[in-house]
Amino acid sequence: MNMSDSSFPALPGIYRLVFLHLEPLSTFIPVLSVWIAPGINWFYQEQIPSNAPIPISLDDRTRMIISQLVNCYLLLGLLSSIVFRAVRSTLPNNPSAQERLIGASLLALAIADVTHVLATFFGLPEQLRYTPQNWNGMTHGNITITTLLFFTRVAWFLGIGRARFYFGQTENQRVKSS
């Protein structure tokens, strides 16, 4: 499959790297960490940075909730990876349609970015909220990396570093680019 900018003008360069490869990969990491190693108990413990030992066991409800959470991570990664590739291969000569579909997905993800960061931030104990130097990798992933992904989505919508075919275009400009 051709991965050149010409086959996927709605998602060029850095945006393709981030949204088609890095972000889906980042969503698979928590899945693998629960399913394979270091395991569900470690994943549970990492949600809030602490020096407490990893619990030996978790109750069934907690195990179920964590399993459902990592399934949501898996779903997000699969949707981005599979849907974005389907848009590219199905609409290679229609950048306006590509951009509308990619934009719809990126908007939904941007909304989820904001709610995810807020839920994580306000879920932290107050003494940890404003001390990112005390956060662990999980907290930085949930807040720092998600915030970077959000701003990358905003940059995409603003047309920074890419041609625009739908968003930010008048109706006449959209017709010409289709």
Side-chain angles (χ1 to χ4, degrees):
M1 185 177 294
N2 183 357
M3 299 226 1
S4 71
D5 282 349
S6 65
S7 70
F8 206 9
L11 206 59
I14 190 72
Y15 298 112
R16 177 180 302 121
L17 175 66
V18 170
F19 298 134
L20 198 61
H21 302 290
L22 297 179
E23 184 174 28
L25 179 64
S26 76
T27 66
F28 299 144
I29 292 169
V31 176
L32 296 174
S33 73
V34 167
W35 288 356
I36 298 172
I40 196 167
N41 295 13
W42 172 85
F43 187 85
Y44 168 82
Q45 183 64 27
E46 289 296 296
Q47 295 307 304
I48 296 179
S50 80
N51 292 325
I54 296 171
I56 294 170
S57 66
L58 302 173
D59 64 69
D60 292 338
R61 283 180 184 83
T62 302
R63 293 179 72 76
M64 179 187 291
I65 289 168
I66 292 171
S67 296
Q68 291 168 340
L69 172 64
V70 298
N71 190 60
C72 290
Y73 278 111
L74 178 64
L75 174 64
L76 287 171
L78 291 173
L79 283 173
S80 292
S81 184
I82 294 169
V83 171
F84 290 1
R85 283 172 173 80
V87 167
R88 178 183 61 196
S89 64
T90 305
L91 301 165
N93 299 314
N94 192 337
S96 181
Q98 283 184 2
E99 187 170 300
R100 285 185 77 181
L101 293 169
I102 296 298
S105 294
L106 292 180
L107 178 60
L109 290 167
I111 293 167
D113 289 342
V114 171
T115 59
H116 183 76
V117 167
L118 290 173
T120 304
F121 183 78
F122 288 110
L124 286 172
E126 195 167 341
Q127 70 272 16
L128 284 174
R129 287 184 194 152
Y130 302 102
T131 56
Q133 68 274 15
N134 294 326
W135 296 353
N136 60 18
M138 185 80 68
T139 307
H140 277 293
N142 286 319
I143 295 177
T144 310
I145 300 301
T146 304
T147 300
L148 290 172
L149 288 168
F150 172 77
F151 283 115
T152 305
R153 294 184 223 293
V154 169
W156 182 90
F157 276 105
L158 293 174
I160 297 171
R162 70 177 192 88
R164 294 166 82 175
F165 302 99
Y166 182 81
F167 293 101
Q169 302 296 308
T170 66
E171 189 64 35
N172 287 338
Q173 290 170 316
R174 289 181 198 152
V175 170
K176 289 178 186 174
S177 69
S178 295

